[in-house]
Amino acid sequence: MVESGSAPIRLRVLDAVTDSALKEFELDKLLEVLLERTRELLAVDTATVLLADRGGAQLVARATTGLEEEVFQGTRVAVGKGFAGRVAQLREPVQIEHVDPSTVVNPLLWEHGLRALLGVPMIAEGELTGVLHVGSTTSRRFTDEEVDALQLVADRLAVAVYVDRTRSERAAATLLQESLLPASLPAPEGWDLAARYVAGAESGVGGDWYDVFELPGDRIGVVIGDVVGNGLRAAVVMGRLRSALRAYALEYLDPAQVLSKLDRKASHFEHNTMATVAYAIIDTATHRMTLAVAGHLPPVIAVPGEQTRFASTHVGPPVGFDLGTSGRRSTGVDVPPGTLVVLYTDGLVERRGQDLDSGMEHLRQAVSAVEPEAACIKVMAAMVGDQPATDDIALVAIRRRG
């Protein structure tokens, strides 16, 4: 055991990682300070942190002292391969006393003359965030107390990385979501539109989206969708699907064809992704709506003088299944003067402790043939009220003037 004073190394490391001054540091500064302290306390020549990438398949060098080339060169190690990859795969400490191509995959380790390595996993909330390893240019066997001490440092860094990543992902997802929602809605002659988007209080920003865009030939495209999941990944997939749907909308007149193409794209490029989507084309000249639905809840239609109802339409499977050209069907819906059409995501009607049918009926009763902005106000007051939504909510209201 290496000592540099009378206190046991575990206590000195514990003092180092619980230093209150560390709370003020951003992640990069925290990594720098703790790696330097670790290098000194363990009397090693190098100390390095590699972080797991978003997919969890690779480790990427993020911070180091003594092996600066690792970070400068963007060193990557596959989980399960080499020294650090083995630590990540096993999720337990690993040490080696022979450093060469047979034990490590990164040539920088033996080129620096390292002869002994100790690595420990960085785990927070059950998630592997990375690997912390130290190296010595002299032959040595790390003691159990030194292993425990390094694990203390790794645990402290793992929490910092997890918090930083969670905060960064939420901020990035929020920015992405805001950038992809329409800045303004079209204003076709004879039609009014309004919309709402509210991020879920529990899930954070996710994959819900709405889109309204003008198409050639006096047509309006209206989309409401929900990518399964939440956070940055769901928001990124949502952005890809939104862009793809817009491109297909310019090429195909039938909403069912558009969703079929979206199926193929999602199943090929967005593996293990599922999304519900409702896509409608409104012909402002013929006053007719053509609608295709992929696993999504049906729009609400309020015609003046009639009972509000849900659109009677074929509901196919969610997007993500390549059903071929015959897997989707469109439904035509007449839109008489004064009619209001409301599209929404399930966060509006699903509540803990309440079945979906009750939520749907509550929404139906809240919708009437009023102008869209008033409709959004009324619906959100009735369905959300003074309680935060647990899931994202997207809502679009379109009305043909009477």
Side-chain angles (χ1 to χ4, degrees):
M1 179 181 69
V2 177
E3 296 277 358
S4 62
S6 58
I9 190 171
R10 178 181 172 83
L11 292 180
R12 289 185 284 114
V13 168
L14 188 60
D15 286 341
V17 300
T18 57
D19 184 352
S20 60
L22 298 177
K23 296 179 181 179
E24 306 300 321
F25 294 159
E26 296 293 332
L27 179 61
D28 287 336
K29 183 63 176 178
L30 178 68
L31 291 170
E32 176 189 337
V33 170
L34 283 183
L35 288 181
E36 282 291 353
R37 292 182 181 180
T38 299
R39 186 177 180 181
E40 178 183 347
L41 289 168
L42 290 179
V44 290
D45 299 289
T46 67
T48 302
V49 164
L50 298 97
L51 298 186
D53 67 3
R54 300 298 182 187
Q58 289 193 318
L59 300 169
V60 183
R62 173 64 182 268
T64 183
T65 174
L67 272 175
E68 283 70 22
E69 295 97 322
E70 274 206 297
V71 174
F72 298 158
Q73 297 175 20
T75 296
R76 286 178 174 263
V77 178
V79 171
K81 303 293 185 181
F83 169 67
R86 186 177 169 211
V87 176
Q89 183 180 52
L90 297 176
R91 292 195 172 199
E92 62 184 36
V94 174
Q95 66 171 304
I96 57 176
E97 299 173 69
H98 184 69
V99 181
D100 64 17
S102 68
T103 55
V104 300
V105 296
N106 181 7
L108 290 172
L109 297 176
W110 68 78
E111 288 174 359
H112 275 258
L114 297 180
R115 303 182 68 178
L117 289 169
L118 169 63
V120 294
M122 295 165 50
I123 299 173
E125 299 294 326
E127 176 183 321
L128 177 79
T129 62
V131 167
L132 166 63
H133 70 67
V134 294
S136 174
T137 57
T138 58
S139 296
R140 64 186 284 185
R141 177 75 183 175
F142 292 96
T143 67
D144 290 343
E145 190 173 6
E146 289 170 333
V147 173
D148 290 343
L150 188 63
Q151 189 64 68
L152 276 176
V153 180
D155 292 344
R156 173 67 177 87
L157 291 176
V159 172
V161 170
Y162 182 84
V163 170
D164 181 79
R165 181 167 290 179
T166 301
R167 184 188 301 118
S168 298
E169 285 191 355
R170 181 179 286 267
T174 300
L175 182 61
L176 179 60
Q177 180 73 266
E178 291 176 351
S179 70
L180 293 175
L181 293 176
S184 61
L185 299 175
E189 186 176 352
W191 297 78
D192 296 310
L193 298 94
R196 294 288 190 277
Y197 173 81
V198 177
E202 294 182 7
S203 63
V205 175
D208 285 28
W209 90 95
Y210 71 87
D211 200 7
V212 185
F213 45 83
E214 293 180 294
L215 293 167
D218 298 320
R219 296 176 303 136
I220 309 170
V222 184
V223 185
I224 198 86
D226 182 2
V227 175
V228 173
N230 56 66
L232 181 58
R233 183 183 181 279
V236 168
V237 172
M238 175 273 290
R240 292 172 181 162
L241 294 183
R242 172 188 178 274
S243 297
L245 192 150
R246 279 191 162 206
Y248 296 138
L250 289 173
E251 298 295 327
Y252 301 97
L253 298 176
D254 183 359
Q257 284 183 290
V258 171
L259 293 188
S260 292
K261 295 297 181 182
L262 199 63
D263 272 333
R264 187 177 183 188
K265 189 266 184 192
S267 62
H268 185 79
F269 291 108
E270 310 292 349
H271 302 296
N272 302 316
T273 289
M274 187 172 71
T276 66
V277 183
Y279 173 46
I281 296 177
I282 296 176
D283 190 318
T284 60
T286 64
H287 311 300
R288 186 170 176 80
M289 178 173 72
T290 308
L291 174 70
V293 179
H296 206 82
L297 297 173
V300 184
I301 300 178
V303 180
E306 299 180 12
Q307 187 178 52
T308 299
R309 59 183 172 84
F310 291 101
S312 179
T313 182
H314 171 74
V315 179
V319 165
F321 302 90
D322 190 355
L323 304 178
T325 56
S326 60
R328 301 290 178 192
R329 298 207 320 252
S330 295
T331 302
V333 180
D334 288 324
V335 185
T339 296
L340 179 78
V341 179
V342 174
L343 296 90
Y344 53 95
T345 54
D346 58 9
L348 186 67
V349 293
E350 288 187 337
R351 290 291 182 275
R352 190 176 291 116
Q354 173 185 282
D355 63 65
L356 179 60
D357 288 342
S358 296
M360 297 282 283
E361 177 59 21
H362 192 191
L363 172 62
R364 189 190 69 80
Q365 294 178 10
V367 175
S368 58
V370 297
E371 62 95 12
E373 186 60 32
C376 286
I377 293 172
K378 182 180 179 182
V379 167
M380 294 300 286
M383 303 302 295
V384 179
D386 60 358
Q387 298 298 314
T390 57
D391 196 7
D392 295 359
I393 295 174
L395 172 68
V396 181
I398 312 106
R399 180 174 180 264
R400 180 186 170 192
R401 294 177 194 156

